Short mmCIF file of all heavy atoms in Angstrom, two decimals:
data_model
loop_
_atom_site.label_atom_id
_atom_site.label_comp_id
_atom_site.label_asym_id
_atom_site.label_seq_id
_atom_site.Cartn_x
_atom_site.Cartn_y
_atom_site.Cartn_z
N THR A 922 35.62 -37.66 -21.49
CA THR A 922 34.65 -37.43 -22.63
C THR A 922 33.18 -37.25 -22.12
O THR A 922 32.52 -36.48 -22.81
CB THR A 922 34.77 -38.51 -23.61
OG1 THR A 922 34.59 -39.75 -22.94
CG2 THR A 922 36.24 -38.58 -24.27
N LYS A 923 32.76 -37.86 -21.10
CA LYS A 923 31.45 -37.57 -20.58
C LYS A 923 31.32 -36.14 -20.08
O LYS A 923 30.29 -35.48 -20.42
CB LYS A 923 31.19 -38.63 -19.42
CG LYS A 923 30.94 -40.00 -19.73
CD LYS A 923 30.65 -40.90 -18.58
CE LYS A 923 30.41 -42.49 -18.97
NZ LYS A 923 30.11 -43.19 -17.81
N ARG A 924 32.28 -35.62 -19.45
CA ARG A 924 32.21 -34.23 -18.95
C ARG A 924 32.20 -33.29 -20.12
O ARG A 924 31.68 -32.18 -20.19
CB ARG A 924 33.33 -33.97 -18.03
CG ARG A 924 33.50 -34.89 -16.69
CD ARG A 924 32.38 -34.67 -15.84
NE ARG A 924 31.26 -35.28 -16.03
CZ ARG A 924 31.04 -36.61 -15.77
NH1 ARG A 924 32.00 -37.31 -15.17
NH2 ARG A 924 29.93 -37.30 -16.00
N GLN A 925 33.04 -33.65 -21.22
CA GLN A 925 32.95 -32.80 -22.38
C GLN A 925 31.64 -32.72 -23.00
O GLN A 925 31.25 -31.65 -23.52
CB GLN A 925 34.08 -33.30 -23.41
CG GLN A 925 35.47 -33.10 -22.96
CD GLN A 925 36.54 -33.74 -23.83
OE1 GLN A 925 36.10 -34.59 -24.75
NE2 GLN A 925 37.83 -33.66 -23.52
N VAL A 926 30.96 -33.83 -23.02
CA VAL A 926 29.56 -33.89 -23.62
C VAL A 926 28.57 -32.98 -22.75
O VAL A 926 27.86 -32.20 -23.29
CB VAL A 926 29.06 -35.37 -23.57
CG1 VAL A 926 27.49 -35.28 -23.98
CG2 VAL A 926 29.74 -36.14 -24.77
N GLU A 927 28.71 -33.04 -21.52
CA GLU A 927 27.96 -32.17 -20.62
C GLU A 927 28.22 -30.64 -20.86
O GLU A 927 27.26 -29.88 -20.81
CB GLU A 927 28.17 -32.64 -19.15
CG GLU A 927 27.69 -33.96 -18.73
CD GLU A 927 27.98 -34.36 -17.36
OE1 GLU A 927 28.77 -33.62 -16.60
OE2 GLU A 927 27.70 -35.45 -16.83
N ALA A 928 29.58 -30.37 -21.02
CA ALA A 928 29.90 -29.06 -21.21
C ALA A 928 29.39 -28.53 -22.51
O ALA A 928 28.83 -27.44 -22.73
CB ALA A 928 31.37 -28.89 -21.16
N ALA A 929 29.37 -29.41 -23.53
CA ALA A 929 28.88 -29.08 -24.83
C ALA A 929 27.32 -28.85 -24.78
O ALA A 929 26.74 -28.02 -25.46
CB ALA A 929 29.22 -30.03 -25.85
N GLN A 930 26.63 -29.71 -24.04
CA GLN A 930 25.27 -29.43 -23.96
C GLN A 930 24.78 -28.10 -23.20
O GLN A 930 23.90 -27.64 -23.56
CB GLN A 930 24.67 -30.72 -23.19
CG GLN A 930 24.54 -32.01 -23.89
CD GLN A 930 24.23 -33.27 -23.06
OE1 GLN A 930 24.49 -33.16 -21.80
NE2 GLN A 930 23.73 -34.30 -23.61
N ALA A 931 25.58 -28.00 -22.15
CA ALA A 931 25.35 -26.62 -21.45
C ALA A 931 25.60 -25.38 -22.44
O ALA A 931 24.89 -24.37 -22.36
CB ALA A 931 26.39 -26.45 -20.27
N ASN A 932 26.64 -25.60 -23.31
CA ASN A 932 27.02 -24.53 -24.36
C ASN A 932 25.75 -24.33 -25.19
O ASN A 932 25.37 -23.20 -25.59
CB ASN A 932 28.33 -24.69 -24.94
CG ASN A 932 28.65 -23.57 -25.77
OD1 ASN A 932 28.64 -22.37 -25.32
ND2 ASN A 932 28.95 -23.72 -27.04
N VAL A 933 25.25 -25.46 -25.61
CA VAL A 933 24.14 -25.38 -26.51
C VAL A 933 22.96 -24.74 -25.87
O VAL A 933 22.17 -23.85 -26.48
CB VAL A 933 23.66 -26.76 -27.09
CG1 VAL A 933 22.28 -26.64 -27.68
CG2 VAL A 933 24.69 -27.31 -27.99
N ALA A 934 22.77 -24.97 -24.65
CA ALA A 934 21.49 -24.37 -23.86
C ALA A 934 21.77 -22.85 -23.89
O ALA A 934 20.81 -22.07 -23.83
CB ALA A 934 21.31 -25.09 -22.45
N SER A 935 23.05 -22.53 -23.53
CA SER A 935 23.26 -21.11 -23.41
C SER A 935 23.11 -20.30 -24.65
O SER A 935 22.34 -19.23 -24.62
CB SER A 935 24.75 -20.89 -22.84
OG SER A 935 25.15 -19.52 -22.81
N VAL A 936 23.60 -20.83 -25.75
CA VAL A 936 23.42 -20.04 -26.95
C VAL A 936 22.00 -20.10 -27.48
O VAL A 936 21.59 -19.12 -28.13
CB VAL A 936 24.37 -20.49 -28.08
CG1 VAL A 936 25.88 -20.24 -27.65
CG2 VAL A 936 24.24 -21.97 -28.38
N GLU A 937 21.28 -21.09 -27.15
CA GLU A 937 19.92 -21.17 -27.59
C GLU A 937 19.18 -20.24 -26.66
O GLU A 937 18.14 -19.54 -27.25
CB GLU A 937 19.21 -22.59 -27.31
CG GLU A 937 19.72 -23.52 -28.38
CD GLU A 937 19.13 -25.01 -28.05
OE1 GLU A 937 18.79 -25.22 -27.01
OE2 GLU A 937 19.17 -25.80 -29.09
N THR A 938 19.50 -20.02 -25.36
CA THR A 938 18.85 -18.98 -24.64
C THR A 938 18.97 -17.50 -25.15
O THR A 938 18.20 -16.71 -25.33
CB THR A 938 19.36 -19.00 -23.19
OG1 THR A 938 19.05 -20.31 -22.62
CG2 THR A 938 18.70 -17.97 -22.36
N ASN A 939 20.43 -17.28 -25.68
CA ASN A 939 20.55 -16.04 -26.22
C ASN A 939 19.78 -15.82 -27.46
O ASN A 939 19.27 -14.74 -27.74
CB ASN A 939 22.09 -15.96 -26.60
CG ASN A 939 22.89 -15.82 -25.45
OD1 ASN A 939 22.50 -15.32 -24.37
ND2 ASN A 939 24.18 -16.09 -25.54
N LEU A 940 19.59 -16.84 -28.29
CA LEU A 940 18.71 -16.82 -29.56
C LEU A 940 17.33 -16.62 -29.22
O LEU A 940 16.67 -15.62 -29.82
CB LEU A 940 18.87 -18.03 -30.32
CG LEU A 940 17.93 -18.20 -31.57
CD1 LEU A 940 18.35 -17.11 -32.61
CD2 LEU A 940 18.19 -19.56 -32.23
N LYS A 941 16.85 -17.19 -28.12
CA LYS A 941 15.30 -16.92 -27.68
C LYS A 941 15.28 -15.48 -27.12
O LYS A 941 14.20 -14.90 -27.36
CB LYS A 941 15.05 -17.91 -26.60
CG LYS A 941 13.64 -17.88 -26.08
CD LYS A 941 13.41 -18.71 -24.91
CE LYS A 941 14.11 -18.37 -23.62
NZ LYS A 941 13.82 -19.34 -22.48
N TYR A 942 16.32 -14.95 -26.50
CA TYR A 942 16.12 -13.63 -25.93
C TYR A 942 16.31 -12.54 -27.05
O TYR A 942 15.99 -11.40 -26.76
CB TYR A 942 17.35 -13.38 -24.89
CG TYR A 942 17.05 -14.00 -23.52
CD1 TYR A 942 18.11 -14.20 -22.78
CD2 TYR A 942 15.85 -14.35 -23.13
CE1 TYR A 942 18.05 -14.86 -21.61
CE2 TYR A 942 15.58 -14.95 -21.92
CZ TYR A 942 16.68 -15.16 -21.05
OH TYR A 942 16.51 -15.91 -19.98
N SER A 943 16.64 -12.87 -28.34
CA SER A 943 16.68 -11.95 -29.40
C SER A 943 15.23 -11.48 -29.75
O SER A 943 15.07 -10.66 -30.55
CB SER A 943 17.50 -12.51 -30.52
OG SER A 943 16.77 -13.59 -31.00
N SER A 944 14.24 -12.28 -29.37
CA SER A 944 12.84 -11.91 -29.58
C SER A 944 12.28 -11.52 -28.25
O SER A 944 12.35 -12.25 -27.19
CB SER A 944 12.09 -12.99 -30.22
OG SER A 944 12.51 -13.35 -31.55
N ILE A 945 11.59 -10.37 -28.22
CA ILE A 945 11.13 -9.80 -26.93
C ILE A 945 9.60 -9.78 -26.90
O ILE A 945 9.00 -9.33 -27.92
CB ILE A 945 11.71 -8.35 -26.55
CG1 ILE A 945 13.21 -8.51 -26.56
CG2 ILE A 945 11.14 -7.93 -25.25
CD1 ILE A 945 13.87 -7.22 -26.51
N TYR A 946 8.91 -10.36 -25.94
CA TYR A 946 7.54 -10.56 -25.88
C TYR A 946 6.89 -9.71 -24.76
O TYR A 946 7.52 -9.51 -23.60
CB TYR A 946 7.18 -12.09 -25.70
CG TYR A 946 7.66 -12.96 -26.87
CD1 TYR A 946 8.89 -13.38 -26.81
CD2 TYR A 946 7.02 -13.11 -28.07
CE1 TYR A 946 9.44 -14.22 -27.81
CE2 TYR A 946 7.49 -13.83 -29.18
CZ TYR A 946 8.72 -14.38 -28.98
OH TYR A 946 9.29 -15.12 -30.02
N ALA A 947 5.53 -9.47 -24.89
CA ALA A 947 4.85 -8.91 -23.73
C ALA A 947 4.70 -9.68 -22.50
O ALA A 947 4.33 -10.89 -22.61
CB ALA A 947 3.53 -8.44 -24.11
N PRO A 948 5.03 -9.24 -21.34
CA PRO A 948 5.07 -10.10 -20.13
C PRO A 948 3.58 -10.28 -19.53
O PRO A 948 3.44 -11.18 -18.75
CB PRO A 948 5.84 -9.31 -19.08
CG PRO A 948 5.70 -7.99 -19.49
CD PRO A 948 5.61 -7.92 -21.00
N PHE A 949 2.65 -9.28 -19.87
CA PHE A 949 1.27 -9.58 -19.35
C PHE A 949 0.46 -8.61 -20.21
O PHE A 949 0.95 -7.92 -21.01
CB PHE A 949 1.21 -9.19 -17.90
CG PHE A 949 1.88 -7.99 -17.52
CD1 PHE A 949 1.34 -6.72 -17.82
CD2 PHE A 949 3.00 -8.00 -16.86
CE1 PHE A 949 1.98 -5.52 -17.57
CE2 PHE A 949 3.70 -6.67 -16.46
CZ PHE A 949 3.21 -5.54 -16.84
N ASN A 950 -0.84 -8.78 -20.04
CA ASN A 950 -1.77 -7.93 -20.74
C ASN A 950 -1.82 -6.45 -20.23
O ASN A 950 -1.68 -6.30 -18.97
CB ASN A 950 -3.36 -8.39 -20.54
CG ASN A 950 -3.44 -9.78 -21.28
OD1 ASN A 950 -2.79 -10.16 -22.14
ND2 ASN A 950 -4.67 -10.30 -20.94
N GLY A 951 -1.59 -5.35 -21.14
CA GLY A 951 -1.59 -4.20 -20.55
C GLY A 951 -1.44 -3.05 -21.68
O GLY A 951 -1.67 -3.49 -22.92
N THR A 952 -1.03 -1.94 -21.35
CA THR A 952 -0.75 -0.80 -22.31
C THR A 952 0.72 -0.70 -22.50
O THR A 952 1.46 -0.51 -21.39
CB THR A 952 -1.51 0.41 -21.94
OG1 THR A 952 -2.88 0.13 -21.82
CG2 THR A 952 -1.21 1.59 -22.92
N ILE A 953 1.14 -0.61 -23.71
CA ILE A 953 2.61 -0.25 -23.91
C ILE A 953 2.83 1.17 -24.21
O ILE A 953 1.92 1.80 -24.73
CB ILE A 953 3.17 -1.18 -25.11
CG1 ILE A 953 4.63 -1.24 -25.15
CG2 ILE A 953 2.59 -0.77 -26.48
CD1 ILE A 953 5.34 -2.24 -25.90
N GLY A 954 3.98 1.75 -23.77
CA GLY A 954 4.10 3.07 -24.09
C GLY A 954 4.83 3.42 -25.44
O GLY A 954 4.71 2.70 -26.33
N ILE A 955 5.53 4.67 -25.37
CA ILE A 955 6.14 5.10 -26.63
C ILE A 955 7.53 4.42 -26.64
O ILE A 955 8.37 4.33 -25.66
CB ILE A 955 6.18 6.57 -26.65
CG1 ILE A 955 4.98 7.23 -26.59
CG2 ILE A 955 7.09 7.02 -27.79
CD1 ILE A 955 4.98 8.76 -26.42
N SER A 956 7.91 3.85 -27.80
CA SER A 956 9.09 3.08 -28.04
C SER A 956 10.32 4.03 -27.83
O SER A 956 10.22 5.19 -28.43
CB SER A 956 9.15 2.38 -29.24
OG SER A 956 10.43 1.64 -29.47
N GLN A 957 11.23 3.66 -27.20
CA GLN A 957 12.48 4.45 -26.92
C GLN A 957 13.65 4.15 -27.97
O GLN A 957 14.55 4.85 -28.14
CB GLN A 957 13.14 4.18 -25.50
CG GLN A 957 12.19 4.38 -24.40
CD GLN A 957 11.74 5.96 -24.34
OE1 GLN A 957 12.54 6.83 -24.19
NE2 GLN A 957 10.43 6.07 -24.44
N VAL A 958 13.30 3.20 -28.95
CA VAL A 958 14.30 2.90 -29.95
C VAL A 958 13.49 2.64 -31.26
O VAL A 958 12.30 2.68 -31.21
CB VAL A 958 15.06 1.52 -29.65
CG1 VAL A 958 15.93 1.73 -28.32
CG2 VAL A 958 14.05 0.33 -29.44
N LYS A 959 14.22 2.66 -32.30
CA LYS A 959 13.64 2.51 -33.65
C LYS A 959 14.42 1.37 -34.38
O LYS A 959 15.53 0.92 -33.86
CB LYS A 959 13.80 3.81 -34.45
CG LYS A 959 13.03 5.01 -33.94
CD LYS A 959 13.26 6.21 -34.83
CE LYS A 959 12.42 7.42 -34.15
NZ LYS A 959 12.51 8.65 -35.11
N VAL A 960 13.78 0.91 -35.48
CA VAL A 960 14.39 -0.03 -36.25
C VAL A 960 15.79 0.25 -36.63
O VAL A 960 16.03 1.40 -37.25
CB VAL A 960 13.60 -0.50 -37.50
CG1 VAL A 960 14.34 -1.53 -38.34
CG2 VAL A 960 12.29 -1.15 -37.07
N GLY A 961 16.81 -0.54 -36.47
CA GLY A 961 18.23 -0.21 -36.74
C GLY A 961 19.04 0.24 -35.56
O GLY A 961 20.25 0.30 -35.63
N THR A 962 18.30 0.56 -34.40
CA THR A 962 19.08 1.06 -33.20
C THR A 962 19.77 -0.13 -32.75
O THR A 962 19.28 -1.21 -32.49
CB THR A 962 18.12 1.66 -32.17
OG1 THR A 962 17.28 2.58 -32.82
CG2 THR A 962 18.82 2.15 -31.02
#
Side-chain angles (χ1 to χ4, degrees):
T922 53
K923 288 181 179 179
R924 302 290 85 79
Q925 289 172 356
V926 170
E927 292 175 356
Q930 289 173 332
N932 186 50
V933 170
S935 175
V936 294
E937 285 180 340
T938 299
N939 289 338
L940 177 60
K941 181 181 68 174
Y942 284 158
S943 64
S944 295
I945 301 171
Y946 301 90
F949 47 74
N950 296 345
T952 302
I953 194 165
I955 299 175
S956 180
Q957 302 299 303
V958 297
K959 298 180 179 180
V960 173
T962 302

